[in-house]
Amino acid sequence: SLAYGIFYQTPESKFLSTDFKQNFQKATHYIFQVQRSEENRTLRLEAFYKDYKNLVKTQTVGFQNFVLPTYGDGFAKGVEVLWRDKKSIKNVDYWVSYSYLDSKREFLNYPTELYPNFAAKHNISVVAKKFVTSWKTGFNFSYTYTSGRPFYNIVAQNGSNVLLGEGKVKDFNSLNFSLNYLPNLGRKDAKAFTILVAGVNNILGNKNVFGYRFSSDGSLSAPVLPAAQTFAYVGLLISFGIDKTQEAIDNNL
């Protein structure tokens, strides 16, 4: 398949004012995809190129953010690969995905084209699911790897944005586990559908860092951390009216 599109987006509301004169931000997408599915196995390959125009450029002075009258631009290009297999291992559904991204943008307070601080060049995801029918329980494992994202120490000096320093955070790693159980609660004729879910994210307790924030003069910095490096959760979902237990079991087989 081939896809092409032109998209326009209004800048974030925090950049809008009565004297705002900038045009809509513009993105042009080119996407090529090949997919083959056979006997519960799927292989998908995708390549893309995205061109960005009219991006908002800003300058931060003290605690105030000013929108500059000039425009920024940039691009993103890369490939994605997905392999999904529900046949090779009995009652196990697993998939592996990998993506590579090359991107540069001159926007916000970037003084020149830089790799965006929210993007990573390499991303890997591995997911495995097994549903035990006799127990009415599904077991799910997932692993996520992301190469280190860049960070920049940018300050406003003499009317322009200056890059004082840059670096990369360490690679992101997270191993997660969850299960979902379909208990029988209440009378059978009540037609209630119940799911008990529980899980633990980042089982190994990796100390992940998303980036760094810098003071307005660039002299101080603080890491951007997740709310919790490792956390567990338990939930009970109950739906009345239609018993979808068998449908949920069938969807996991």
Side-chain angles (χ1 to χ4, degrees):
S1 64
L2 289 170
Y4 167 79
I6 300 176
F7 305 89
Y8 296 92
Q9 180 177 334
T10 304
E12 293 181 60
S13 58
K14 64 182 180 181
F15 299 130
L16 301 179
S17 63
T18 54
D19 58 349
F20 187 84
K21 303 298 183 183
Q22 287 205 314
N23 295 324
F24 291 114
Q25 298 179 110
K26 177 183 177 183
T28 306
H29 293 189
Y30 308 85
I31 302 174
F32 171 70
Q33 186 183 104
V34 178
Q35 178 171 304
R36 179 179 176 85
S37 297
E38 185 177 11
E39 297 182 348
N40 283 325
R41 293 187 178 123
T42 299
L43 175 64
R44 184 171 70 233
L45 308 173
E46 182 176 293
F48 60 89
Y49 180 84
K50 301 176 182 181
D51 183 58
Y52 303 104
K53 300 292 185 185
N54 299 336
L55 300 182
V56 171
K57 296 185 66 176
T58 65
Q59 187 175 90
T60 302
V61 180
F63 295 100
Q64 290 187 306
N65 218 15
F66 298 95
V67 177
L68 300 178
T70 56
Y71 296 111
D73 54 23
F75 71 89
K77 59 183 179 181
V79 294
E80 297 181 357
V81 182
L82 170 70
W83 167 253
R84 185 167 186 174
D85 184 357
K86 300 177 66 175
K87 179 181 179 182
S88 299
I89 305 175
K90 186 177 180 179
N91 297 327
V92 173
D93 177 14
Y94 77 91
W95 60 91
V96 180
S97 62
Y98 166 78
S99 66
Y100 169 78
L101 174 66
D102 181 22
S103 179
K104 285 191 175 181
R105 298 189 190 190
E106 182 181 356
F107 76 138
L108 300 182
N109 66 338
Y110 285 18
T112 184
E113 282 196 343
L114 298 171
Y115 198 95
N117 59 3
F118 55 79
K121 282 188 178 292
H122 304 280
N123 295 273
I124 299 174
S125 178
V126 181
V127 179
K129 301 169 57 180
K130 179 177 177 62
F131 191 84
V132 181
T133 306
S134 59
W135 297 352
K136 295 196 297 183
T137 303
F139 301 90
N140 315 291
F141 286 92
S142 66
Y143 170 73
T144 301
Y145 165 82
T146 300
S147 60
R149 295 182 175 94
F151 62 85
Y152 306 105
N153 184 2
I154 301 174
V155 300
Q157 291 183 354
N158 300 321
S160 61
N161 295 317
V162 178
L163 178 62
L164 295 184
E166 59 184 296
K168 283 186 178 181
V169 300
K170 68 176 187 176
D171 297 349
F172 177 94
N173 290 273
S174 181
L175 177 64
N176 312 309
F177 168 74
S178 67
L179 62 83
N180 50 283
Y181 171 58
L182 305 174
N184 291 321
L185 299 179
R187 304 192 318 271
K188 290 186 177 181
D189 59 353
K191 294 185 179 180
F193 174 53
T194 306
I195 302 178
L196 175 67
V197 295
V200 181
N201 283 9
N202 193 16
I203 297 173
L204 302 179
N206 292 304
K207 305 301 181 183
N208 294 311
V209 178
F210 295 145
Y212 286 89
R213 292 191 181 98
F214 294 89
S215 59
S216 59
D217 62 357
S219 61
L220 301 175
S221 65
V224 180
L225 303 173
Q229 295 289 357
T230 300
F231 66 92
Y233 58 91
V234 177
L236 183 66
L237 310 176
I238 303 176
S239 176
F240 296 98
I242 300 177
D243 185 357
K244 296 184 178 181
T245 302
Q246 189 59 48
E247 179 182 338
I249 294 175
D250 294 339
N251 290 335
N252 280 278
L253 296 180

Short mmCIF file of all heavy atoms in Angstrom, two decimals, residues 74-96:
data_model
loop_
_atom_site.label_atom_id
_atom_site.label_comp_id
_atom_site.label_asym_id
_atom_site.label_seq_id
_atom_site.Cartn_x
_atom_site.Cartn_y
_atom_site.Cartn_z
N GLY A 74 11.55 20.85 9.29
CA GLY A 74 12.21 19.62 9.71
C GLY A 74 11.71 18.43 8.92
O GLY A 74 10.93 18.55 7.98
N PHE A 75 12.18 17.25 9.31
CA PHE A 75 11.78 16.02 8.62
C PHE A 75 11.87 14.85 9.58
O PHE A 75 12.51 14.92 10.65
CB PHE A 75 12.68 15.76 7.40
CG PHE A 75 14.09 15.34 7.78
CD1 PHE A 75 14.41 14.00 7.99
CD2 PHE A 75 15.08 16.29 7.98
CE1 PHE A 75 15.69 13.62 8.36
CE2 PHE A 75 16.37 15.92 8.35
CZ PHE A 75 16.68 14.58 8.54
N ALA A 76 11.22 13.77 9.21
CA ALA A 76 11.33 12.49 9.93
C ALA A 76 11.25 11.38 8.89
O ALA A 76 10.37 11.40 8.02
CB ALA A 76 10.22 12.34 10.97
N LYS A 77 12.17 10.44 8.97
CA LYS A 77 12.15 9.31 8.04
C LYS A 77 12.60 8.06 8.78
O LYS A 77 13.35 8.14 9.76
CB LYS A 77 13.06 9.57 6.84
CG LYS A 77 14.52 9.82 7.19
CD LYS A 77 15.34 10.13 5.95
CE LYS A 77 16.79 10.42 6.31
NZ LYS A 77 17.62 10.75 5.12
N GLY A 78 12.11 6.93 8.33
CA GLY A 78 12.49 5.71 9.04
C GLY A 78 11.80 4.49 8.50
O GLY A 78 11.08 4.54 7.49
N VAL A 79 12.01 3.37 9.19
CA VAL A 79 11.40 2.10 8.81
C VAL A 79 10.86 1.42 10.08
O VAL A 79 11.36 1.64 11.18
CB VAL A 79 12.42 1.16 8.12
CG1 VAL A 79 12.85 1.74 6.79
CG2 VAL A 79 13.62 0.91 9.01
N GLU A 80 9.85 0.60 9.88
CA GLU A 80 9.27 -0.19 10.97
C GLU A 80 9.06 -1.62 10.48
O GLU A 80 8.64 -1.84 9.34
CB GLU A 80 7.93 0.42 11.42
CG GLU A 80 8.05 1.81 12.00
CD GLU A 80 6.72 2.37 12.45
OE1 GLU A 80 5.69 1.68 12.24
OE2 GLU A 80 6.70 3.48 13.01
N VAL A 81 9.36 -2.58 11.34
CA VAL A 81 9.20 -4.00 11.02
C VAL A 81 8.40 -4.66 12.14
O VAL A 81 8.69 -4.45 13.33
CB VAL A 81 10.57 -4.70 10.87
CG1 VAL A 81 10.37 -6.17 10.49
CG2 VAL A 81 11.44 -4.00 9.84
N LEU A 82 7.41 -5.46 11.77
CA LEU A 82 6.60 -6.19 12.74
C LEU A 82 6.51 -7.65 12.33
O LEU A 82 6.20 -7.96 11.17
CB LEU A 82 5.20 -5.60 12.84
CG LEU A 82 4.19 -6.44 13.66
CD1 LEU A 82 4.54 -6.41 15.14
CD2 LEU A 82 2.76 -5.95 13.44
N TRP A 83 6.78 -8.56 13.27
CA TRP A 83 6.58 -10.00 13.06
C TRP A 83 5.66 -10.50 14.16
O TRP A 83 5.96 -10.35 15.35
CB TRP A 83 7.91 -10.75 13.08
CG TRP A 83 7.75 -12.25 13.18
CD1 TRP A 83 7.99 -13.03 14.26
CD2 TRP A 83 7.31 -13.14 12.14
NE1 TRP A 83 7.73 -14.34 13.98
CE2 TRP A 83 7.31 -14.45 12.68
CE3 TRP A 83 6.91 -12.95 10.81
CZ2 TRP A 83 6.93 -15.56 11.93
CZ3 TRP A 83 6.53 -14.07 10.07
CH2 TRP A 83 6.55 -15.34 10.63
N ARG A 84 4.53 -11.09 13.78
CA ARG A 84 3.58 -11.64 14.76
C ARG A 84 3.31 -13.11 14.42
O ARG A 84 3.10 -13.45 13.25
CB ARG A 84 2.28 -10.86 14.77
CG ARG A 84 1.31 -11.33 15.86
CD ARG A 84 0.17 -10.37 16.08
NE ARG A 84 -0.66 -10.76 17.22
CZ ARG A 84 -1.66 -10.03 17.70
NH1 ARG A 84 -1.94 -8.86 17.14
NH2 ARG A 84 -2.35 -10.45 18.74
N ASP A 85 3.31 -13.96 15.45
CA ASP A 85 3.23 -15.41 15.24
C ASP A 85 2.33 -16.02 16.30
O ASP A 85 2.61 -15.96 17.50
CB ASP A 85 4.64 -16.01 15.32
CG ASP A 85 4.66 -17.50 15.00
OD1 ASP A 85 3.58 -18.07 14.77
OD2 ASP A 85 5.76 -18.07 14.98
N LYS A 86 1.21 -16.62 15.86
CA LYS A 86 0.29 -17.31 16.77
C LYS A 86 0.29 -18.82 16.52
O LYS A 86 -0.57 -19.53 17.06
CB LYS A 86 -1.13 -16.76 16.60
CG LYS A 86 -1.27 -15.29 16.89
CD LYS A 86 -2.67 -14.78 16.63
CE LYS A 86 -3.69 -15.38 17.60
NZ LYS A 86 -5.04 -14.78 17.41
N LYS A 87 1.26 -19.30 15.71
CA LYS A 87 1.24 -20.70 15.29
C LYS A 87 2.39 -21.53 15.85
O LYS A 87 2.21 -22.67 16.26
CB LYS A 87 1.26 -20.77 13.77
CG LYS A 87 1.26 -22.18 13.20
CD LYS A 87 1.29 -22.19 11.69
CE LYS A 87 1.32 -23.63 11.15
NZ LYS A 87 1.39 -23.65 9.67
N SER A 88 3.60 -20.95 15.88
CA SER A 88 4.79 -21.75 16.17
C SER A 88 4.78 -22.35 17.57
O SER A 88 5.23 -23.48 17.78
CB SER A 88 6.05 -20.90 15.98
OG SER A 88 6.14 -20.46 14.64
N ILE A 89 4.30 -21.60 18.57
CA ILE A 89 4.25 -22.08 19.96
C ILE A 89 2.78 -22.26 20.34
O ILE A 89 2.00 -21.31 20.26
CB ILE A 89 4.94 -21.08 20.91
CG1 ILE A 89 6.37 -20.80 20.44
CG2 ILE A 89 4.97 -21.63 22.32
CD1 ILE A 89 7.08 -19.74 21.24
N LYS A 90 2.41 -23.44 20.76
CA LYS A 90 1.02 -23.76 21.04
C LYS A 90 0.43 -22.83 22.09
O LYS A 90 1.01 -22.62 23.16
CB LYS A 90 0.91 -25.21 21.51
CG LYS A 90 -0.54 -25.68 21.69
CD LYS A 90 -0.60 -27.14 22.10
CE LYS A 90 -2.04 -27.59 22.28
NZ LYS A 90 -2.12 -29.02 22.66
N ASN A 91 -0.72 -22.25 21.76
CA ASN A 91 -1.48 -21.37 22.66
C ASN A 91 -0.70 -20.13 23.08
O ASN A 91 -1.01 -19.52 24.11
CB ASN A 91 -1.95 -22.13 23.91
CG ASN A 91 -2.91 -23.26 23.58
OD1 ASN A 91 -3.69 -23.15 22.63
ND2 ASN A 91 -2.85 -24.34 24.35
N VAL A 92 0.30 -19.75 22.32
CA VAL A 92 1.07 -18.54 22.61
C VAL A 92 1.00 -17.60 21.41
O VAL A 92 1.22 -18.02 20.27
CB VAL A 92 2.54 -18.86 22.95
CG1 VAL A 92 3.36 -17.56 23.06
CG2 VAL A 92 2.63 -19.65 24.25
N ASP A 93 0.67 -16.37 21.67
CA ASP A 93 0.66 -15.32 20.66
C ASP A 93 1.78 -14.34 21.01
O ASP A 93 1.78 -13.75 22.09
CB ASP A 93 -0.69 -14.61 20.67
CG ASP A 93 -0.77 -13.45 19.69
OD1 ASP A 93 0.11 -13.36 18.81
OD2 ASP A 93 -1.72 -12.64 19.80
N TYR A 94 2.74 -14.17 20.11
CA TYR A 94 3.84 -13.25 20.39
C TYR A 94 4.10 -12.39 19.17
O TYR A 94 3.81 -12.78 18.03
CB TYR A 94 5.11 -14.01 20.81
CG TYR A 94 5.87 -14.64 19.67
CD1 TYR A 94 6.88 -13.95 18.99
CD2 TYR A 94 5.58 -15.95 19.26
CE1 TYR A 94 7.58 -14.53 17.94
CE2 TYR A 94 6.27 -16.54 18.23
CZ TYR A 94 7.27 -15.83 17.56
OH TYR A 94 7.94 -16.40 16.52
N TRP A 95 4.65 -11.19 19.41
CA TRP A 95 5.08 -10.35 18.30
C TRP A 95 6.30 -9.54 18.71
O TRP A 95 6.51 -9.22 19.87
CB TRP A 95 3.95 -9.47 17.79
CG TRP A 95 3.34 -8.51 18.75
CD1 TRP A 95 3.70 -7.22 18.98
CD2 TRP A 95 2.21 -8.76 19.61
NE1 TRP A 95 2.88 -6.65 19.92
CE2 TRP A 95 1.95 -7.56 20.32
CE3 TRP A 95 1.39 -9.88 19.83
CZ2 TRP A 95 0.93 -7.45 21.24
CZ3 TRP A 95 0.36 -9.76 20.75
CH2 TRP A 95 0.14 -8.57 21.44
N VAL A 96 7.09 -9.24 17.70
CA VAL A 96 8.32 -8.46 17.86
C VAL A 96 8.26 -7.30 16.87
O VAL A 96 7.98 -7.50 15.68
CB VAL A 96 9.57 -9.31 17.59
CG1 VAL A 96 10.84 -8.48 17.78
CG2 VAL A 96 9.60 -10.54 18.50
#
